[in-house]
Every structure is written in C-alpha cells, then in structure tokens.
C-alpha cells in the first residue's frame, strides 16, 4: 500500500501535467456510501461488545487482546472490518493502472493459486498421503482462519480457479501452456481434497459456464492452432479422469454424499437460529454490528455455546497471563485449546511444566500431536485434575506425556516433515484456570516453546477448536451480512455485486475474455456464499472486493487485445 502511493506521489511530482487514471464514474458512489456504512457497523459492533462498561474499559480490552483474542471479544469487530478497509484504500491505487488493472489482478490470482496448490500438495503428502482418498482428512493449506472451522480454502479455490482456466486458455504453445495445464490439474486436485459438496457443485457449474459462454460469444484463444485445441480437449479429459479417480477411489466422499439430507436439515436449523438473533427493528435494519455474530450466537442459543475461552490479561504485577476456560455451560460439545506449533524430535516422551492457578478443581488435558491444523495424528498426552489453590501466586505442575515416540518412518519419509502442535485444554464447563508460564521439554531435555512466559502477549500462541464450530460461522454469506450489518449493509453490498456482474456481462458481450473470468469468479463466490460464510475471512473477502473493484474496467472491448495476448503489453 505504501509503495503504491509513494510511486503515485513520485510520478505526480516528476510529471505534474500528466493525466492519471481515476475512479470510473460508475464506482464513485462507493467512496460516499461504503465508508459510512462500514463505520456504522464498526460502531455498533464495538458498542455491543462494550455492553454496560465504559468506553475506557473497551479500549483497555482492545489493547490487551487486539484482533487476536477470542471471537466474542471487541477485537473481532476490527478483524472482520479490516478487509473492506483495505479494499477501499486500494481502490484509487488499483484504478490508477487503468485498463491494465484487471490483467495485473489476473496474474496475481494465478500466482496466489500456484502457492496455495503447492501448500496443498505438501500437506497431503506429509500428513495423509497424496493418493489416500479414504482417510477423513480435509485440507486447510495455509488458511489458519480455519482453526475454528469454516471454509476459507473452499471459497478461495472457487474464486481463484477460473483464473487457472484463463492461464491455460491464453498460454501460447510450449512450456507456458504445460505449466498452466499442470496448475489446472493440481487446482482441481486441491478442490477434490476439500471434500466439500458445495465446492464441487460451484466449480462444476463455473467450468460449464466458462465453456458455454466462451463458445456463445466466440471468444477465440490467442493460439488458435489445431495443437492448442487438441491440448485443451486432452486437458479436459484428464480432469474428468482425475475427478472420477478421487470419487471412486476412496470411501470418504461417497459417505459424505450419503449424509447430504441430514446435513442440509442441520444447516437449515443453524440458519434459523442465526436469523432469530435479530429481535428488534433496529437490529433488522442496522444489524448486530460487525463481527458480533459469535458473541450473540454462543450466548443466546442452547446448541451454540462456545466450547471454551482463551483470555489474555495483564496481571497486577504487569506480567501477561492467560486464562483458559472450558465450555460456556454443561452439555456444550467440543473443545477450545491454547496451542503453539513446535518442531518434533524423535526418541521418547516429552515433559510439560505449567505454572498457574486454579480457583476451583479443574480437569486439564495436555496434548502434543503430529498436526498441521485441525487433524491430530500420533499424540502424546496427559490428563490431570488440578486441585484448587488458596495461593493466588500459583505453583508449578510437571507431567510426563504418554504416547508413542515421534520417530520418523525413515530418513526420506515424508512423515519426517510433520510438525507438532502443543494444546492445553480445560475440559470441564465454567472452570477457569490461569496460566503464567508453560514449558515443553523434548526427550533431549531442550525447552521447545517460544514466548513461554507470555512476556510478548499472545505472540506464537493461538487456539484450535475441536468438534464444535457452530458459534463462529452461520455458513451463509447473505445471512451473515443480514445478521451483522442489517438490511442497510445487505442492500449496499448486494448493489455492488449486482453492478459488478452486469459490467462483466457487458464485457463478455464485447468479447473481453477477462470479463468472462472475473464474472464467473464473482458468481461462483456468491454461489459458495449460500453454504459458507465469507465476509468473516479477511484474506479471502479482500480478494472478492478486488474483483468487484476492477469489474467496471473489464466491460470495454479495448482490453480484448491485451487479454488475448497477455505477453504483449498490458502493464
């Protein structure tokens, strides 16, 4: 951001008479409408999180937790809002590129998709095996937002995959086409490894739309040779074989398909409980506030209580402490653990030392597992009752973890690259435990944890939910907008999306290939929004904002030459 605006300033200083591209007239209303709507949603979110407390207490809470605290805290309002903030700030810089902006964005999407696919291939190879289609393992890649569930990678793949098709369709004969074809194959492999029925349907419809519309509007590939046409047909056949191999070569996906009716019933009940959170006319019009869905859902529904809490506080002595709590009430399923990623060493058992305080007897579970994010493989663990202590200064507890040694299966085995995650969980409901320090010692006696005494606050620490993801997601983008931003925010953002699709349709009618790709990408993301919440995932939602922003620039036929010949100009 700084580099873009610095370059703009330098160019304006060197060439004051130069004409710079500006925001299209059709998008200038966004500057006047979206910032007030966003500020209103943020204010409502912070005011709702404040409750009866003074604003000074809320600011102190934000200072203690920032945007890295639990999702029912005020910081979640800022976390969810930041994607639209970045999108609004990037608009002028993106429009400065003029007609070259869509091409730059398309190239960036291709590069990002390649990186995510590389992470998927690594994750599958190391943790479960690239060709094991029966293990109940669903990929997360580098989307750490999924530590509380959700479909971040699902939405991203649906959004980015049309650009893989664009890369193969526009690539000239030679190594560039082969590289693009490999990206398409690996991208479809990543889609299949999500085992998400919504992604499967959305991607299938997207590819059908790309083929039908490209033929209807006579979008001709740059390399119109017989070789290129045959190569694209062979690529399509390879994709069909790849999909059939996954669907028929394992038992996991057939089992998920068999549970579709039951899952749909549960999803409908989940949506209904979310809509029931809107109780007053003001909430229907303006929403609960940005980022406030988890707090309301967990406190107002019997099925949606948080499975635990992680609170970072500064003690009277000035040192940071972390308070762990179990489920919000008895009967709430699932767990929420304080976690840190560590490197695993072979050779024996690990030891854990905890310094803390418990006001009442609590059941504490400590695990060290081979784990990427959500799925635990081999584990060493220990579960103990921690007795209540009358001394608030606390004391030390030391346990030897029990379980198999983390020995690699061979020097060249992919499993040797597995990382580990230490997790600490309070199992009982309504039982807070204070931790002042945590130490993890490997079989060679080395202390493995970073920021073990919490001197740097939550740095290097995170949390991971297990078996209960309902409080954090409504699993529907339209309902999420309605619940948190009300009918006002819903209408404004819907108007932007509808306008973007109309501009993309104009570009397709004028034979602009990137208009087709951008329009299908936006439409696929909106379709995915019927079963996945999107706005709560800043790193994914900002990409949707960028696509919406460039949509007015793809409606012009003058881009056609640059798109169909991507290696000639365009920058």
């Amino acid at each position: 951001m700084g580099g873009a605006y610095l370059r703009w300033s330098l160019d304006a200083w060197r060439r004051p008479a130069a004409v710079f591209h500006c925001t299209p007239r059709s998008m200038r209303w966004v500057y006047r409408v979206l910032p007030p709507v966003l500020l209103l949603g943020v204010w409502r979110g912070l005011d709702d999180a404040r409750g009866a407390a003074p604003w000074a207490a809320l600011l102190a809470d934000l200072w203690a937790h920032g945007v890295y605290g639990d999702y029912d805290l005020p910081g979640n309002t800022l976390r969810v809002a930041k994607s639209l903030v970045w999108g609004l700030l990037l608009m002028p810089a993106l429009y400065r590129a003029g007609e070259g902006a869509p091409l730059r964005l398309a190239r960036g999407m291709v590069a990002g998709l390649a990186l995510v696919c590389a992470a998927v291939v690594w994750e599958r190879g190391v943790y479960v095996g690239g060709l094991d289609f029966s293990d109940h393992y669903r990929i997360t890649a580098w989307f750490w937002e999924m530590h509380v569930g959700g479909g971040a990678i699902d939405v991203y793949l649906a959004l980015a995959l049309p650009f893989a098709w664009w890369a193969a369709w526009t690539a000239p004969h030679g190594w560039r086409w082969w590289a693009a074809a490999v990206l398409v194959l690996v991208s479809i492999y990543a889609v299949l490894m999500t085992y998400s029925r919504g992604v499967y349907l959305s991607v299938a419809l997207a590819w059908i739309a790309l083929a039908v519309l490209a033929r209807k509007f006579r979008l001709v590939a740059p390399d119109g040779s017989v070789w290129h046409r045959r190569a694209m047909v062979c690529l399509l056949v390879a994709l069909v074989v790849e999909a059939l191999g996954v669907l028929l070569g394992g038992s996991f996906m057939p089992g998920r398909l068999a549970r579709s009716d039951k899952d749909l019933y549960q999803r409908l009940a989940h949506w209904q409980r979310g809509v029931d959170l809107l109780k007053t006319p003001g909430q229907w019009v303006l929403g609960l506030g940005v980022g406030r869905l988890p707090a309301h859902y967990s406190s107002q529904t019997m099925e949606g209580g948080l499975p635990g809490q992680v609170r970072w506080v500064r003690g009277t002595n000035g040192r940071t402490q972390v308070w762990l709590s179990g489920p919000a009430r008895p009967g709430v399923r699932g767990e929420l653990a304080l976690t840190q990623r560590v490197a695993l060493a072979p050779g024996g058992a690990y030891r854990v030392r905890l310094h803390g305080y418990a006001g009442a007897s609590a059941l504490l579970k400590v695990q060290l597992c081979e784990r990427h994010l959500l799925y635990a493989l081999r584990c060493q663990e220990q579960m103990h009752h921690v007795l209540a202590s009358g001394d608030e200064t606390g004391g030390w507890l030391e346990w030897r973890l029990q379980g198999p040694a983390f020995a690699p299966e061979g020097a060249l085995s992919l499993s040797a690259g597995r990382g580990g995650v230490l997790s600490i969980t309070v199992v009982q409901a309504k039982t807070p435990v204070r931790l002042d320090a945590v130490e993890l010692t490997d079989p060679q006696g080395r202390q493995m944890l970073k920021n073990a005494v919490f001197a740097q606050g939550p740095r290097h620490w995170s949390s991971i939910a297990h078996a209960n993801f309902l409080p954090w997601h409504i699993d529907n983008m339209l309902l999420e907008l309605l619940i948190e931003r009300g009918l006002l925010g819903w209408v404004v953002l819907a108007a932007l999306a509808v306008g973007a699709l109309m501009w993309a349709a104009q570009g397709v009618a004028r034979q602009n290939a990137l208009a087709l790709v951008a329009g299908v990408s936006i439409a696929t993301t909106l379709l995915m929004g019927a079963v996945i919440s999107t706005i709560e995932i800043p790193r994914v939602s900002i990409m949707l904002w960028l696509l919406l922003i460039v949509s007015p620039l793809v409606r012009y036929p003058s881009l056609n030459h640059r798109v169909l010949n991507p290696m000639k100009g365009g920058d």
Side-chain angles (χ1 to χ4, degrees):
M1 182 81 71
Y5 281 103
L6 178 61
R7 175 61 183 270
W8 194 346
S9 302
L10 291 175
D11 288 347
W13 176 64
R14 293 171 179 172
R15 295 178 295 164
V19 177
F20 296 102
H21 294 284
C22 60
T23 303
R25 184 174 301 177
S26 57
M27 287 292 287
R28 292 176 188 174
W29 67 272
V30 172
Y31 294 129
R32 296 189 292 269
V33 175
L34 269 187
V37 171
L38 176 62
L39 290 174
L40 177 62
V42 170
W43 178 83
R44 285 184 64 83
L46 295 178
D47 187 59
D48 180 77
R50 177 176 67 94
W55 282 96
L58 179 133
L59 294 177
D61 187 278
L62 285 174
W63 180 260
H65 294 90
V67 298
Y68 302 106
D70 280 348
Y71 286 45
D72 59 333
L73 294 177
N76 194 51
T77 294
L78 304 182
R79 187 189 70 85
V80 175
K82 67 180 180 180
S83 63
L84 186 52
V85 172
W86 289 125
L88 290 169
L89 291 175
L90 279 170
M91 281 182 67
L94 194 62
Y95 285 137
R96 179 178 178 254
E99 294 181 354
L103 183 58
R104 292 184 177 187
L105 183 61
R107 289 173 174 171
M109 293 297 296
V110 171
L113 182 60
L115 291 173
V116 171
C117 288
V120 168
V121 171
W122 171 84
E123 180 188 358
R124 288 286 304 183
V126 168
Y127 285 91
V128 69
L131 301 178
D132 185 348
F133 306 134
S134 296
D135 195 289
H136 292 198
Y137 188 100
R138 303 176 66 184
I139 58 171
T140 57
W142 292 327
F143 290 91
W144 304 112
E145 300 91 339
M146 298 175 68
H147 71 116
V148 290
I153 191 171
D154 303 355
V155 179
Y156 174 79
L157 290 174
L159 182 146
L161 200 60
F163 291 92
W165 173 85
W166 171 82
W169 190 71
T170 59
H173 176 74
W175 69 268
R176 291 173 184 161
W177 186 90
W178 287 104
V182 170
L183 176 61
V184 172
L185 288 170
V186 179
S187 300
I188 293 297
Y189 174 80
V191 166
L192 294 169
M193 291 302 98
T194 65
Y195 292 107
S196 170
R197 292 155 294 193
V199 179
Y200 286 10
L201 177 62
S202 299
V203 168
L205 293 176
W207 283 75
I208 293 173
L210 285 170
V212 171
L213 293 175
R215 182 176 181 84
K216 178 179 179 180
F217 291 97
R218 300 177 182 179
L219 298 179
V220 181
D223 186 351
S225 64
V226 175
W227 181 93
H228 190 273
R229 292 196 297 271
R230 290 178 177 175
M232 293 298 291
V233 171
C234 291
L235 178 59
L236 178 61
V237 173
L239 293 176
V240 174
V241 172
E242 182 182 27
L244 292 176
V246 172
L247 296 177
L248 303 179
S251 59
F252 184 28
M253 193 60 200
R256 282 183 57 79
L257 292 174
R259 298 193 304 271
S260 296
D261 290 343
K262 179 181 178 181
D263 292 345
L264 178 59
Y265 174 80
Q266 294 175 343
R267 186 70 59 89
L268 291 173
H270 182 42
W271 292 344
Q272 184 61 56
R273 291 192 293 267
V275 174
D276 289 342
L277 298 176
L278 300 174
K279 303 183 184 302
T280 67
Q283 290 177 340
W284 276 96
V285 175
L286 301 178
L288 301 176
V290 173
R292 295 304 294 163
L293 171 66
H296 284 261
Y297 193 93
S298 61
S299 62
Q300 298 183 32
T301 64
M302 291 300 297
E303 300 84 355
L306 288 171
Q309 291 182 339
V310 178
R311 297 289 197 256
W312 296 88
V313 300
R314 189 173 296 276
T316 55
N317 57 0
R319 296 183 58 184
T320 302
Q321 303 164 335
V322 57
W323 283 87
L324 300 182
S325 301
R329 50 186 173 270
V332 172
R333 66 187 184 94
E335 299 174 351
L336 184 69
L338 177 70
T339 62
Q340 184 175 141
R341 300 186 65 82
V342 297
L344 296 177
Y350 280 72
R351 290 183 174 275
V352 171
R353 295 183 72 220
L354 307 174
H355 187 278
Y357 162 78
S361 179
L363 183 60
L364 206 62
K365 181 170 72 173
V366 180
Q367 285 185 316
L368 178 63
C369 299
E370 293 177 337
R371 183 182 234 172
H372 180 58
L373 187 60
L374 294 180
Y375 301 97
L377 304 178
R378 288 182 292 190
C379 294
Q380 294 183 13
E381 62 182 2
Q382 191 64 262
M383 185 177 292
H384 270 283
H385 277 283
V386 179
L387 300 179
S389 173
D391 184 3
E392 293 190 3
T393 60
W396 284 97
L397 295 172
E398 183 172 354
W399 299 328
R400 183 178 184 272
L401 302 183
Q402 298 178 351
F406 300 113
E409 298 172 358
L412 300 179
S413 173
L414 287 175
S415 64
R418 293 174 182 169
V421 173
L422 173 72
S423 61
I424 306 170
T425 309
V426 176
V427 178
Q428 291 172 303
K430 297 183 178 180
T431 309
V433 173
R434 189 193 77 209
L435 293 179
D436 304 313
V438 181
E439 294 180 359
L440 176 69
T441 306
D442 71 2
Q444 287 74 42
R446 297 171 297 188
Q447 208 289 110
M448 303 297 295
L449 296 181
K450 300 176 181 178
N451 190 23
V453 297
F454 311 130
Q456 297 171 299
R459 188 177 184 186
H460 301 296
W461 294 92
S462 185
S463 60
I464 293 178
H466 174 67
N468 179 14
F469 306 119
L470 290 179
W472 291 283
H473 319 280
I474 199 62
D475 293 327
N476 187 295
M477 182 175 65
L478 298 180
L479 289 182
E480 182 183 22
L481 283 171
L482 175 64
I483 294 170
E484 291 195 346
R485 310 190 189 198
L487 289 170
L488 175 62
W490 194 95
V491 169
V492 170
L493 295 175
L496 180 59
V498 171
L501 291 175
M502 292 177 61
W503 293 322
Q506 293 175 10
V508 174
R510 296 165 179 167
Q511 295 187 315
N512 186 334
L514 261 184
L516 174 60
V517 174
V520 170
S521 179
I522 294 171
T524 306
T525 306
L526 296 178
L527 181 61
M528 281 294 301
V531 291
I532 293 178
S533 305
T534 305
I535 305 302
E536 69 186 53
I537 312 168
R539 289 197 296 168
V540 176
S541 59
I542 193 173
M543 297 180 194
L544 176 58
W545 296 129
L546 292 177
L547 282 172
L548 296 175
I549 289 170
V550 303
S551 56
L553 302 178
V554 300
R555 54 181 167 169
Y556 302 113
S558 59
L559 272 176
N560 196 47
H561 176 74
R562 294 186 179 186
V563 171
L564 295 182
N565 297 276
M567 302 311 297
K568 297 180 181 180
D571 282 344

